[in-house]
Amino acid sequence: MTAERLSCDVAVVGAGPAGLAAASAAATAGASVICLDAFGQPGGQYAMQPTQAGSAFAETSAVLSGQDAAQQAAAAGAKILCGAEVFWGAPVPGGFCLSVNRQGSALAVEARAVVVAAGAMERPLPFPGWTLPGVIGAGAAQRMLKTGSGALPMTGSTVLAGSGPFLLAVAQSFARAGQPLDHFVEMQRPSLTGLTGLFMRHPDRVFEAMRLGRDLRGTGATRHFGHIVTRAIGRDRVEAVEIAPLDGSGRPDMSRTTRIERVGTLAVGYGFQPVIDLTTALGAAHDFDAALGGWHCRADDDGATTIPNLWAAGETLGIGGAAPAQLSGRIAGGAAAAALGFPADDTAEPRKRVRRARAFAAGLAALFPMPRHLPLELPDDELICRCEDIRAGDIATAIAEGAHESFAVKTWTRAGMGPCQGRICGAGVAAALARAGIPSETASYNRAHLPLRPVPLPLVRDAMEAQNQMETRA
Amino acid sequence: MTMIEIEIDGASVVCREGLPLTEVLMSGAPSWRRSPKLGAPRGMFCGMGLCFECAVEVDGTWARACLERTRAGMRVRTGEGDI
Ligand SMILES: Cc1cc2nc3c(=O)[nH]c(=O)nc-3n(C[C@H](O)[C@H](O)[C@H](O)COP(=O)(O)OP(=O)(O)OC[C@H]3O[C@@H](n4cnc5c(N)ncnc54)[C@H](O)[C@@H]3O)c2cc1C
Ligand code: FES
């Protein structure tokens, strides 16, 4: 088989708030645009679309905003392809070649410019028992509520645990779905003065925050602020969860643990990290900033990365929420088209708004400082790498013997070589390096390799053949 | 709401159309494959297509259950089935 081929002026990777805005802006300027997304429907995380008629989420402003954004992009002439996952990207003369798994067939997209708006994912921090079935990401629980029948399928109690504003958003989804939530465990106790200060500076967000608090109470969950999950317990699935209060030094007080019994689901979230597999594969520079979720793609105010005609938008540039993501997409999409000679849009207004929206996100992030690692001892036999079953002890040994970089840990132990390519174990490896006193800048990140996401071998072959032809074409 | 029939490890299952396949699988048990070295039970973790813990075979091809939607007649094989 040969790969199907498409070409365009601007290819946008990701159809979340940032990608859809970028596609609209570039298409409005006159560029031909293809916008690709791995999910079945446009919207990304924020505007995730329900699959069931009559879903409690069908009429939320987020869902409607996603439909609007997709319609606008399509009306401007952008071609949106869903179920299309980019598994490689490479420079070719005159632009880039993106290799895509389109529902099991290879597609090669040749584009003069690329905007990467790949969004964010949860930063999974390992803790004792985290690989037990029934322990899932907080985002996974939310996705199931939003895109499923609205009820979690597992029997037993549900515990939502971790830290950060997103936990409140997930609790809100439970409230909206009418799904019982039994326990809410938040590591921090955000300071009241900090909260008041933030909302005095951003009074437009007060209502939203009050609603989050009200909905958390509405779930009926027992709330444990200043507590952390110290252990998930079970044989073949999670059965109980142990939690402990954090003492003045930020460590769990193990003399005061509580055991929550008959647990069916433990949904955990300790914040987000940018999805940077494609931008690292394309060789763009990345920077570390804990407040932005760690490693993120470097870009100027327009979204220009360090690679000519490669742009980035949304949370690939750092965690900040849907509002700045959408605005940064509009700016980057317009700038990408303008750099190819299409008329430039006036972006003074979105630039002003993006600064303000980012300031709110930064203020909120400062109130919930994200841990680099959890204040828990990981037993040597606890897994850090789920793909290859690599234990904390193996990784500690590698670090003690001189592996002081994510890449060195990977070649030494294989953590990061499995199908997740370090997207999941990367945070655990970084946490182990941080514990050993190695600064994040030295620890660096896992650079992606072909294929970014597992795909059947014939697809890789077909796509690479198309890429080679583009590379060698006179 | 349309009810459909799908096949999981040879058994017929009736469910709603368009659901995340993970929802249907998890209503049975939260795990459906084994980890490579330790043989430990695994199921959905990230729920968004990035960890590959939810891998299954759908109509003969490798797939991520969290990204699959139920459709009439789909044939699902899990690692716990007799592959
Ligand atoms: C699990 C999760 C849940 C969230 N829930 C909420 C919420 O309820 N409310 C809220 O305000 N914020 C939520 N957020 C925060 C959210 O990330 C932002 O508010 C907003 O969605 C960011 O927009 P974006 O366009 O940058 O990225 P996203 O919305 O994440 O969109 C990125 C898109 O890129 C696609 N993509 C990535 N890589 C590839 C590839 N290689 N090939 C093809 N497609 C690709 C993804 O499928 C995704 O659709 C959530 C974040 C996460 C990670
Ligand atoms: S649960 Fe992570 S890929 Fe499906």
Side-chain angles (χ1 to χ4, degrees):
Chain A
M1 290 271 287
T2 51
E4 182 194 348
R5 293 212 198 173
L6 293 172
S7 64
C8 59
D9 294 315
V10 179
V12 179
V13 181
L20 290 172
S24 277
T28 304
S32 59
V33 176
I34 296 176
C35 178
L36 304 149
D37 200 292
F39 294 152
Q41 282 185 311
Q45 299 292 354
Y46 172 72
M48 191 185 303
Q49 300 294 312
T51 63
Q52 301 294 302
S55 155
F57 296 91
E59 301 289 324
T60 59
S61 54
V63 167
L64 297 176
S65 78
Q67 291 167 4
D68 263 9
Q71 268 156 22
Q72 260 179 43
K79 183 171 179 153
I80 303 174
L81 300 181
C82 285
E85 187 169 41
V86 176
F87 65 85
W88 193 240
V92 293
F96 300 89
C97 171
L98 297 179
S99 299
V100 184
N101 174 2
R102 190 180 185 193
Q103 281 152 348
S105 314
L107 164 67
V109 175
E110 187 173 15
R112 298 168 64 202
V114 170
V115 182
V116 179
M121 60 175 287
E122 280 181 295
R123 195 152 56 84
L125 289 175
F127 59 92
W130 75 301
T131 59
L132 281 173
V135 178
I136 62 177
Q142 189 194 43
R143 175 169 288 271
M144 200 164 253
L145 293 172
K146 286 186 170 178
T147 63
S149 67
L152 291 186
M154 293 75 84
T155 52
S157 325
T158 302
V159 180
L160 176 60
S163 189
F166 178 58
L167 273 197
L168 291 168
V170 178
Q172 184 165 58
S173 302
F174 274 83
R176 179 170 280 276
Q179 168 76 15
L181 178 63
D182 302 284
H183 294 270
F184 180 84
V185 186
E186 162 63 57
M187 202 172 148
Q188 319 270 349
R189 292 180 194 274
S191 86
L192 197 60
T193 38
L195 277 173
T196 315
L198 178 64
F199 287 108
M200 301 249 295
R201 292 192 304 276
H202 299 273
D204 48 321
R205 310 298 283 264
V206 172
F207 185 59
E208 206 179 305
M210 279 169 46
R211 226 169 17 201
L212 284 171
R214 188 199 64 199
D215 286 341
L216 170 60
R217 289 189 296 279
T219 60
T222 309
R223 286 163 278 151
H224 311 265
F225 283 95
H227 280 66
I228 185 173
V229 168
T230 49
R231 208 153 52 110
I233 304 157
R235 264 185 67 83
D236 284 345
R237 59 195 289 173
V238 63
E239 289 159 21
V241 170
E242 182 189 77
I243 65 171
L246 294 169
D247 63 19
S249 68
R251 299 189 165 278
D253 178 349
M254 298 305 282
S255 67
R256 291 163 61 208
T257 57
T258 314
R259 209 171 136 128
I260 303 168
E261 302 289 348
R262 285 180 291 281
V263 174
T265 310
L266 168 59
V268 199
Y270 286 100
F272 295 137
Q273 61 190 18
V275 173
I276 54 170
D277 48 4
L278 182 56
T279 47
T280 63
L282 285 166
H286 290 70
D287 295 311
F288 183 87
D289 183 345
L292 292 175
W295 289 102
H296 57 278
C297 185
R298 184 187 303 167
D300 68 10
D301 284 350
D302 282 338
T305 70
T306 52
I307 304 286
N309 288 318
L310 177 65
W311 308 76
E315 293 196 319
T316 295
L317 294 175
I319 305 308
Q326 193 265 344
L327 293 163
S328 72
R330 179 169 155 202
I331 295 167
L340 298 178
F342 294 96
D345 192 16
D346 175 14
T347 53
E349 178 60 24
R351 280 164 189 275
K352 213 165 73 197
R353 283 166 55 208
V354 86
R355 270 193 294 274
R356 190 168 161 70
R358 283 200 174 125
F360 176 76
L364 201 56
L367 289 177
F368 290 93
M370 286 304 153
R372 299 306 306 147
H373 54 81
L374 299 180
L376 297 173
E377 290 307 318
L378 268 192
D380 275 353
D381 63 355
E382 183 57 62
L383 296 181
I384 286 186
C385 160
R386 307 170 68 109
C387 297
E388 306 258 337
D389 282 335
I390 294 154
R391 300 173 166 106
D394 306 328
I395 286 172
T397 305
I399 295 173
E401 288 179 4
H404 290 173
E405 238 214 317
S406 296
F407 182 71
V409 173
K410 168 160 124 179
T411 45
W412 208 297
T413 66
R414 292 191 60 80
M417 281 188 189
C420 94
Q421 283 211 23
R423 280 178 291 261
I424 302 297
C425 60
V429 169
L433 287 161
R435 267 172 198 279
I438 295 157
S440 304
E441 285 73 13
T442 310
S444 192
Y445 50 85
N446 230 324
R447 196 161 281 117
H449 51 261
L450 174 74
L452 300 177
R453 318 277 168 95
V455 278
L457 218 54
L459 253 79
V460 178
R461 209 184 38 228
D462 295 346
M464 287 306 109
E465 192 185 292
Q467 183 185 308
N468 286 342
Q469 285 170 4
M470 288 177 202
E471 276 164 352
T472 52
R473 196 177 35 202
Chain B
M1 162 172 51
T2 316
M3 298 306 282
I4 54 163
E5 212 177 310
I6 69 174
E7 192 188 296
I8 301 178
D9 294 329
S12 154
V13 175
V14 175
C15 63
R16 293 191 193 180
E17 185 175 25
L19 286 182
L21 180 57
T22 39
E23 181 171 337
V24 181
L25 290 169
M26 287 177 100
S27 61
S31 68
W32 51 86
R33 55 172 276 276
R34 298 266 157 185
S35 72
K37 280 196 213 142
L38 302 175
R42 299 283 173 78
M44 177 181 86
F45 178 63
C46 76
M48 57 179 286
L50 295 177
C51 73
F52 312 98
E53 289 278 43
C54 65
V56 291
E57 206 185 274
V58 174
D59 297 332
T61 335
W62 175 91
R64 284 159 280 179
C66 67
L67 297 185
E68 291 292 317
R69 300 282 176 258
T70 53
R71 52 180 188 277
M74 80 196 290
R75 302 232 315 271
V76 183
R77 289 216 303 168
T78 75
E80 303 283 44
D82 43 16
I83 304 190

